[in-house]
Amino acid sequence: MTYAHDALGALADPTRRRIFERLSSGPAAVGEIARGLPVSRPAVSQHLKALKQAGLVTDRPEGTRRVYQIDPAGLGAVRAWLDQFWLVALDAFKVEAERDDKAGPGEGGHI
Amino acid sequence: MRTIKPAPVRRSLEVKASLERAFEVFTTGFGRWWPHSHTIGKGKLKTAVIEPRIGGRWYGEDEDGATTDWGRVLAFEPPSRLMLAWQIGSDWRYDAEVITEVEIRFTSIAAGLTLVELEHRNLERLGDKFEEVRVTFESPNGWGMIMKLYAAAAEAA
């Protein structure tokens, strides 16, 4: 499995982002998360599995429940952040590099 | 005990520009394109600089003239290779002991078309120093900003 794209891919889905956001205010069991969303419990489970595979959340058993939380090591989340950081930066670089010399300001004078 | 070793961040893109222009814009022209949102300084970012030599500074400059180091230049090989040390540690500040490597390679695909590849690695070195930053991320403002960026990127795709 290529880990490299998992984090960005995992958060590309808006429902997964909402689940991730929900966990940012504290750990929660699957049922609790599902109750706050217009999504079925099994669907929430699948989304949590994807977030776990991307290294963004971890889980632990609590009696009969599974409680999820944002990865306490933080590295999955940091990596996801850096992934996005560089995407935004490189998009801006591409625009500037492709800008027509003659049309742009600040370049050496051309006639 | 930290056993997780995160994979490097890898991005690549094709740029409609010559190899020389691509390298020049990335380095000498850095301040013309670096997003103003991407800063750790206290004030608003006015410009950003990659000093064009090994050991050169990599920093942002605020509107009041204050500069904030982000890292150093580890390799400077025009027009094909640039390597920067990204050295943001705990408390969102420059930390000389944190060295993560950002390697950018430029390859000519055709006349006026260049492949630019970026790899940001050694991210496990951020782990020990990034605990406080993680807490910042987990605050409503931290995650809100990240989620907004993700939403924008996903919708633009």
Side-chain angles (χ1 to χ4, degrees):
Chain A
M1 183 199 307
T2 42
Y3 184 85
H5 297 288
D6 281 357
L8 193 57
L11 287 173
D13 179 285
T15 306
R16 256 178 244 149
R17 283 203 298 278
R18 286 181 65 182
I19 293 171
F20 190 60
E21 262 169 9
R22 165 65 185 83
L23 290 175
S24 72
S25 47
V30 179
E32 290 173 68
I33 298 169
R35 231 171 284 133
L37 293 169
V39 184
S40 71
R41 255 194 73 134
V44 169
S45 268
Q46 286 305 310
H47 284 308
L48 286 166
K49 218 200 273 183
L51 289 170
K52 189 177 162 185
Q53 280 182 331
L56 295 172
V57 305
T58 60
D59 63 343
R60 61 175 197 274
E62 208 171 85
T64 54
R65 317 187 303 163
R66 284 218 86 80
V67 172
Y68 283 80
Q69 63 182 87
I70 291 193
D71 177 18
L75 291 177
V78 167
R79 193 182 165 284
W81 185 87
L82 281 171
D83 205 13
Q84 182 64 14
F85 176 91
W86 285 116
L87 177 130
V88 170
L90 289 173
D91 276 354
F93 161 69
K94 182 177 159 79
V95 167
E96 178 62 24
E98 292 182 352
R99 193 164 56 82
D100 183 2
D101 263 346
K102 298 182 198 71
E107 296 277 8
H110 291 282
I111 294 179
Chain B
M1 192 85 358
R2 198 172 302 287
T3 53
I4 301 165
K5 223 178 160 195
V9 168
R10 289 194 185 99
R11 304 219 68 95
S12 72
L13 66 163
E14 290 184 7
V15 177
K16 294 190 189 80
S18 70
L19 183 62
E20 289 74 20
R21 175 167 170 83
F23 188 92
E24 191 270 339
V25 168
F26 201 105
T27 53
T28 314
F30 187 69
R32 299 204 300 266
W33 59 269
W34 186 256
H36 285 203
S37 54
H38 285 30
T39 181
I40 59 169
K42 296 284 178 277
K44 268 189 77 166
L45 193 68
K46 186 178 85 177
T47 190
V49 174
I50 295 176
E51 289 184 340
R53 61 178 187 279
I54 293 178
R57 288 173 69 204
W58 179 25
Y59 64 91
E61 183 180 318
D62 293 348
E63 275 172 358
D64 58 12
T67 64
T68 309
D69 277 1
W70 300 340
R72 288 290 180 271
V73 177
L74 297 175
F76 191 85
E77 296 158 20
S80 53
R81 187 169 166 258
L82 171 73
M83 193 152 75
L84 304 168
W86 198 81
Q87 299 179 269
I88 313 300
S90 63
D91 205 24
W92 229 196
R93 276 208 285 262
Y94 172 77
D95 187 336
E97 286 173 31
V98 171
I99 299 174
T100 65
E101 293 175 352
V102 183
E103 183 173 28
I104 305 116
R105 280 171 298 140
F106 303 79
T107 311
S108 182
I109 301 172
L113 190 64
T114 302
L115 176 68
V116 179
E117 298 166 285
L118 179 144
E119 181 173 291
H120 190 169
R121 55 183 178 246
N122 315 117
L123 301 183
E124 64 280 1
R125 295 179 190 170
L126 294 173
D128 293 341
K129 302 276 186 167
F130 242 66
E131 285 306 308
E132 287 124 71
V133 181
R134 177 179 63 80
V135 171
T136 306
F137 285 159
E138 290 176 8
S139 75
N141 282 333
W143 284 121
M145 171 191 73
I146 295 166
M147 288 305 123
K148 248 173 49 176
L149 289 174
Y150 269 113
E155 274 138 41

